[in-house]
Amino acid sequence: MYILDSNLNEEQKRAVYSDSRALLIVAGAGTGKTRVLTTRAARLIKENPDARYLLLTFTKKAAMEMTTRVRDLIREDTKNRLYSGTFHSFCSNIIRRHSERIGLTNDFVIIDESDSLDLMKKVFSRIYSKEKLDSLIFKPKDILSIYSYARNNNQDFIEIIQRKYKYVNFEDIKKIVNLYELSKRERNYLDFDDLLMYGLLSIKALEKSPFDEVLVDEFQDTNQIQAEMLYRFYYLGSRISAVGDDAQSIYSFRGAYYKNMFDFIKRLDAEKIILSSNYRSTQPILDIANSIIQSSYNSIKKELIANVKLKDNVKPKLVIVSDDWEEARYVAREMQKFNEKGLKVAALYRAAYIGRNLESQLNSMGIKYSFYGGQKLTESAHAKDFMSFLRVFVNPKDEIALIRILRMFPGIGEKKAEKIKNAVINGGNLKIALSKEKNLEELNLFFEKLFETTDWHDILELIFNFYKDIMIRLYPENYEEREADLIKFMDMSSNYDNLVDYLEAFTLNPVERVEFDNNNVILSTIHSAKGLEFDVVFLLSVIESVYPHFKAQSTDEIEEERRLFYVAITRAKQRLLFIFPRHSKKNRGYFAKNTISPFLREKDSYLDVSIVG
DNA sequence: GTTGGCGCGTTTTTT
DNA sequence: ACGCGCCAAC
């Protein structure tokens, strides 16, 4: 037995050294799941230097962090022994390698969610007349999200549609998805779901697993296609070890299926190890967390027990304030006090707009803070504009990108762009189609120059210079900041060997927007705070209609809200403060009376209540 | 018939 | 910060 980490407790050691072919590590919040997974990977590599391992995560950041930790443990490079990456990037890789076997070419372009939506809107306008479009009860976004859910979970799309919309024309809806599929195929696009589906197909085409073991992080967030990939690897000879916490499953609205944790045990007769020794929070914080998740109707039973012993072992506080502005003032003041003591303090909330009052309060007090979550830099309008030029260079028939470019020019709107695009797609060439438009002469000349250029770094340079002037016209208020972003993108190009890899990275490894002004005062949605921890946590607006959110209606949806509430609570290490504003200001200027979140009802014994203002 | 300006609302969003 | 709907202007 290699002593890679002598500080592991008994349950963690069992998880690190188990040799089961299928292993499920149920890791409650703060129980050291990353440590267990990385130590396990390190131990495997050490014991069998010739073996190869695959570590799958949901974010690039997690993959990189774990690789670093494994490398630090074994004090060697992990190259050729541990492949770690996101499900999507792993899929993209295996598809490019096996593309011809599954009927694809390896030069596909990965489109993100907003591209998918653009494409779906095009499909809608091709199928319905303008009047019909306005009267539809389902929107492109609705169809796309249901379709995506169905594909990711092996369910019949039409059946779900029928359940949700009783009186719609199902033939039309079949036509919509068929045309959506066809459009992708014709333009050589793969959307995020295609990556997973074709990834699974590629795995199915293997005769033997290239990996001795597949390790999986955040297993509760996998969908059924991702789980199927793991089962395939198992049947091809891999061991599988998965870490997850069903109580922290908060992404089912995007297709995550936490019941994979139960299925995994049943299907593979997996060994189950529960980690419940918590190294993050004080017992009073865990007590309320346990009591809230206990009422959950189906979860793997585990009671978190604190290992943290502080002299200052205070109960969570429920602070009652008069309204949401008072909430912002109170929290800003208190955050400042804790921050001055050197503590890391966060305000968490259900939806971005709830943090807005606090943000302006902190600004007016001159307190620096960092903002987690929100839109990625690579998803911003100017980033997508920039990328569109590259995409048209790679594939002149890339219609989403082409239309985006055309619409940057005055006098070119939806219809005209569509017309020009059709001329290009239907056999005609780009140059001829563009030469018919007076406002596009400049663009035509630019493309001519672009297509004569071979070095892709020169191409980036050309695009940058051409788009700069357009940007000044499109975004006169803040084009300087946007230009700085583009320079950042240009600099990133040195990390990639070719244009296709560079383009893929834009979609699969989006760049965060945030600059960290102060790592000790943090504003974040609960979703974006998952996996993080803070000395002090303020949970804003613990009112009914937010916890659970009023749009969550079914039992399953409300259970997910409960888990979200649980995730928020278990971020706190020392202090936890729930803020309840008795009134909230509504848009039209009146104050609405609030009731406290049902999740906090009858929890008085766990709380200290105080009234401020 | 189209384009483009303006005001409004906003659940969360790993890829 | 952005998409959407509405409406005036071309």
Side-chain angles (χ1 to χ4, degrees):
Chain A
M1 196 192 262
Y2 296 89
I3 306 297
L4 287 155
D5 189 337
S6 51
N7 293 320
L8 296 174
N9 66 33
E10 281 313 307
E11 52 192 24
Q12 289 173 329
K13 267 187 210 154
R14 277 210 300 140
V16 168
Y17 291 99
S18 162
D19 279 320
S20 301
R21 269 211 65 201
L23 172 67
L24 179 70
I25 303 164
V26 184
T31 56
K33 106 195 148 137
T34 307
R35 193 151 145 223
V36 164
L37 200 60
T38 51
T39 312
R40 182 177 173 83
R43 169 235 147 185
L44 291 169
I45 294 170
K46 273 284 179 197
E47 279 180 7
N48 192 353
D50 298 324
R52 299 190 66 205
Y53 300 100
L54 172 64
L55 170 59
L56 292 173
T57 64
F58 278 86
T59 66
K60 191 83 190 165
K61 198 172 137 220
M64 294 201 308
E65 193 183 308
M66 293 217 229
T67 309
T68 310
R69 285 175 69 160
V70 173
R71 202 191 299 136
D72 289 350
L73 283 167
I74 62 173
R75 298 163 200 279
E76 280 172 78
D77 201 11
T78 57
K79 243 194 176 133
N80 297 325
R81 298 201 263 170
L82 178 70
Y83 177 100
S84 66
T86 63
F87 275 94
H88 290 83
S89 71
F90 169 73
C91 286
S92 171
N93 236 296
I94 192 171
I95 297 167
R96 285 202 208 271
R97 212 170 311 163
H98 299 279
S99 51
E100 70 299 336
R101 261 201 268 177
I102 51 171
L104 296 172
T105 55
N106 68 1
D107 57 351
F108 55 82
V109 170
I110 300 163
I111 58 170
D112 68 12
E113 264 175 343
S114 75
D115 290 335
S116 300
L117 188 59
D118 280 351
L119 201 60
M120 188 55 97
K121 284 178 189 161
K122 293 266 144 33
V123 168
F124 267 61
S125 57
R126 226 173 291 170
I127 288 183
Y128 299 108
S129 65
K130 197 161 167 23
E131 310 82 69
K132 194 80 201 279
L133 268 178
D134 295 334
S135 67
L136 290 172
I137 53 164
F138 49 83
K139 300 220 154 58
K141 211 171 71 195
D142 303 321
I143 297 298
L144 205 57
S145 88
I146 296 171
Y147 183 55
S148 170
Y149 184 86
R151 295 177 81 202
N152 279 314
N153 288 296
N154 275 327
Q155 287 182 32
D156 186 63
F157 167 65
I158 294 296
E159 215 170 90
I160 305 179
I161 292 283
Q162 278 171 332
R163 238 179 293 142
K164 179 139 187 187
Y165 304 102
K166 301 230 156 42
Y167 311 103
V168 297
N169 184 339
F170 302 114
E171 289 311 313
D172 275 6
I173 294 189
K174 280 181 200 162
K175 248 187 358 209
I176 290 170
V177 297
N178 286 340
L179 195 52
Y180 176 70
E181 283 300 323
L182 187 70
S183 310
K184 282 188 300 180
R185 191 83 38 91
E186 283 175 353
R187 317 288 174 254
N188 214 0
Y189 291 150
L190 294 191
D191 63 22
F192 286 145
D193 302 335
D194 289 325
L195 283 180
L196 299 181
M197 310 223 36
Y198 286 115
L200 177 60
L201 274 183
S202 307
I203 295 167
K204 282 183 174 171
L206 298 173
E207 271 154 28
K208 184 179 170 299
S209 172
F211 305 106
D212 287 69
E213 178 164 327
V214 181
L215 302 98
V216 188
D217 188 29
E218 306 273 21
F219 186 58
Q220 78 283 351
D221 289 336
T222 51
N223 60 41
Q224 292 186 61
I225 296 295
Q226 288 162 327
E228 192 61 38
M229 289 163 60
L230 302 177
Y231 296 141
R232 279 287 144 187
F233 274 127
Y234 179 88
Y235 296 127
L236 289 167
S238 296
R239 279 196 308 264
I240 313 288
S241 54
V243 183
D245 182 5
D246 51 322
Q248 291 185 72
S249 160
I250 54 175
Y251 279 102
S252 76
F253 69 97
R254 318 180 88 255
Y257 181 74
Y258 72 91
K259 290 176 186 152
N260 276 336
M261 296 191 63
F262 307 100
D263 294 350
F264 184 81
I265 294 171
K266 258 192 263 161
R267 254 180 95 161
L268 306 187
D269 192 27
E271 180 188 6
K272 178 174 79 183
I273 295 175
I274 298 178
L275 308 181
S276 51
S277 206
N278 177 293
Y279 294 89
R280 177 183 295 154
S281 311
T282 61
Q283 195 60 51
I285 292 171
L286 295 182
D287 286 340
I288 194 164
N290 285 330
S291 94
I292 281 166
I293 207 68
Q294 214 181 40
S295 345
S296 185
Y297 69 101
N298 53 7
S299 66
I300 297 171
K301 280 269 167 286
K302 57 188 166 301
E303 185 111 321
L304 295 177
I305 301 154
N307 267 281
V308 178
K309 299 267 185 287
L310 291 176
K311 269 179 269 157
D312 178 25
N313 220 355
V314 291
K315 271 190 188 178
K317 223 166 157 181
L318 171 63
V319 182
I320 301 171
V321 296
S322 58
D323 59 59
D324 48 356
W325 275 104
E326 187 53 39
E327 170 179 71
R329 280 191 291 271
Y330 172 79
V331 173
R333 267 199 319 268
E334 294 297 307
M335 283 182 107
Q336 186 177 37
K337 280 192 217 157
F338 283 116
N339 184 40
E340 280 165 359
K341 286 186 203 157
L343 295 170
K344 189 169 176 172
V345 47
L348 306 182
Y349 35 84
R350 179 68 177 83
Y353 73 91
I354 294 176
R356 223 163 271 167
N357 288 346
L358 178 58
E359 213 185 336
S360 62
Q361 190 63 35
L362 289 171
N363 280 331
S364 71
M365 291 166 72
I367 301 169
K368 294 245 187 279
Y369 58 87
S370 290
F371 205 89
Y372 282 17
Q375 199 203 37
K376 300 281 195 297
L377 193 57
T378 31
E379 287 162 358
S380 57
H382 55 295
K384 301 218 87 185
D385 288 349
F386 181 71
M387 232 187 351
S388 295
F389 286 104
L390 277 177
R391 281 170 51 171
V392 170
F393 175 79
V394 171
N395 173 12
K397 296 193 172 181
D398 186 331
E399 69 174 288
I400 301 171
L402 181 60
I403 287 177
R404 190 169 184 111
I405 293 170
L406 295 172
R407 295 199 54 178
M408 293 174 198
F409 294 87
I412 312 285
E414 196 194 331
K415 300 283 168 183
K416 216 172 260 180
E418 182 76 13
K419 223 178 82 191
I420 298 168
K421 178 221 84 186
N422 284 335
V424 176
I425 302 276
N426 302 328
N429 81 22
L430 188 61
K431 194 176 165 181
I432 294 168
L434 293 183
S435 64
K436 291 187 180 132
E437 281 296 328
K438 215 174 75 208
N439 286 330
L440 297 177
E441 277 164 15
E442 221 189 330
L443 179 67
N444 207 2
L445 283 170
F446 169 69
F447 272 133
E448 207 169 300
K449 206 158 71 177
L450 197 66
F451 284 109
E452 284 166 6
T453 312
T454 46
D455 183 83
W456 69 281
H457 295 283
D458 293 343
I459 288 165
L460 292 182
E461 198 72 40
L462 277 175
I463 293 173
F464 174 75
N465 287 319
F466 181 70
Y467 177 60
K468 204 162 65 178
D469 296 332
I470 298 175
M471 205 166 54
I472 294 170
R473 184 164 46 75
L474 292 179
Y475 312 103
E477 4 33 83
N478 59 3
Y479 71 92
E480 280 132 327
E481 291 153 49
R482 291 176 192 257
E483 193 179 321
D485 294 337
L486 296 189
I487 291 168
K488 205 188 275 178
F489 298 150
M490 306 266 294
D491 292 343
M492 275 164 47
S493 69
S494 59
N495 299 329
Y496 300 92
D497 296 334
N498 57 61
L499 193 48
V500 172
D501 285 356
Y502 178 69
L503 217 45
E504 174 174 314
F506 261 87
T507 337
L508 289 189
N509 319 329
V511 179
E512 300 282 338
R513 182 187 282 280
V514 284
E515 292 292 326
F516 295 104
D517 278 332
N518 181 348
N519 271 318
N520 289 320
V521 178
I522 282 145
L523 270 62
S524 176
T525 60
I526 301 169
H527 283 85
S528 300
K530 195 173 138 211
L532 305 177
E533 57 180 32
F534 313 97
D535 296 318
V536 184
V537 167
F538 291 86
L539 188 55
L540 304 191
S541 291
V542 289
I543 61 176
E544 192 163 17
S545 84
V546 174
Y547 304 102
H549 193 271
F550 73 97
K551 281 196 178 163
Q553 291 296 329
S554 69
T555 324
D556 280 350
E557 285 169 330
I558 290 170
E559 283 308 302
E560 176 137 325
E561 297 292 306
R562 178 191 299 285
R563 296 192 295 267
L564 188 68
F565 202 67
Y566 174 80
V567 167
I569 292 171
T570 52
R571 297 312 93 201
K573 293 167 80 173
Q574 303 181 19
R575 298 290 196 98
L576 173 63
L577 297 99
F578 299 96
I579 318 296
F580 172 59
R582 278 180 304 217
H583 303 272
S584 292
K585 191 161 195 235
K586 294 286 172 189
N587 295 329
R588 309 276 175 222
Y590 69 92
F591 281 88
K593 201 167 188 304
N594 295 322
T595 23
I596 197 158
S597 162
F599 297 144
L600 281 184
R601 277 179 213 152
E602 291 165 38
K603 299 291 178 198
D604 291 1
S605 63
Y606 297 100
L607 293 166
D608 273 337
V609 183
S610 68
I611 299 172
V612 176

